[in-house]
Structure formats: C-alpha cells, structure tokens
Amino acid sequence: HVQLVESGGASVQAGGSLRLSCSASGKAYGRNCIGWFRQAPGKEREGIATIHTVSETTQYADSVKGRFTISTDSAENTVYLQLNSLKPEDTGTYYCAAAGGRPRGDRWSNPYEYKIWGQGTQVTVS
C-alpha cells in the first residue's frame, strides 16, 4: 500500500520550533522527490520545501528559507521538516507529498507535480 503519514503538528508560540515527520511506504519514498506543502484557511496550497530521497538535493520557498530545514532518513523512509523561528503566518495544515519523479526547476513547488499525499498535520502559531 502506497502511502504517506505526517505527524508532529502542534500549537506553539511565535518564535518556537517544531519537527514534522513524513513516514513513507517504500514505493512512495524510493528515488523520489518528497515535498512539504502548507495550506492556510482560504489560501492556496503552498510548496515550502522538497528533497530528493537519493541525492538529498533540497529546495525551499523564500518564505521559509533560513528557518525551515528539510531532511531525510533513508533507513526509516522518513522525511523531516524542522520548523524554527515560527511566525503566526506559518499557521496551516502541513502536507507531505511524493512526486513520482523529479520536478524540473520551479515546478518542485507545484502541487500538481505530486501524485501521493498524506492526510496533513496542523501547525498553529500564536
């Protein structure tokens, strides 16, 4: 069964930190780009970071660069997103997704490039 499961969301104060986890089944994880997206109420889903599970090449949205770090543990088929210096505007539902390949250029942040999605985990910053 191909799936992604997120965890780690919570309510935190501004300036705080969280670590989100995305546990992937083998087919979703291997030789793939795994991305983190977030969606605030009334807003479009935003791509914030991606990592290739073999090369570990990463890309970030400008809005999170320097504050968030994406990483992966291939032994655990897990992708992490470390969120530091959180701001109220970081509030939203965070999703991980598997692209089924390597999106070219800026397409890494396009949700339509991703085929498999988790159920999401809520992050609230106040």
Side-chain angles (χ1 to χ4, degrees), residues 26-38:
K27 288 185 178 180
Y29 181 86
R31 295 185 179 275
N32 211 348
C33 279
I34 305 290
W36 281 98
F37 293 76
R38 69 182 175 196

Side-chain angles (χ1 to χ4, degrees), residues 10-23:
S11 295
V12 297
Q13 291 189 338
S17 297
L18 285 173
R19 189 175 80 157
L20 307 183
S21 299
C22 172
S23 178

Side-chain angles (χ1 to χ4, degrees), residues 17-88:
S17 297
L18 285 173
R19 189 175 80 157
L20 307 183
S21 299
C22 172
S23 178
S25 64
K27 288 185 178 180
Y29 181 86
R31 295 185 179 275
N32 211 348
C33 279
I34 305 290
W36 281 98
F37 293 76
R38 69 182 175 196
Q39 189 165 22
K43 294 190 176 181
E44 293 186 352
R45 194 165 293 191
E46 172 191 18
I48 55 176
T50 191
I51 188 166
H52 191 270
T53 57
V54 175
S55 69
E56 299 192 20
T57 302
T58 60
Q59 290 181 280
Y60 296 92
D62 288 343
S63 59
V64 305
K65 207 171 286 185
R67 298 189 300 123
F68 292 6
T69 303
I70 190 170
S71 62
T72 187
D73 181 343
S74 58
E76 298 292 331
N77 281 9
T78 299
V79 173
Y80 301 99
L81 187 68
Q82 179 68 39
L83 291 64
N84 296 330
S85 302
L86 282 162
K87 305 174 182 180

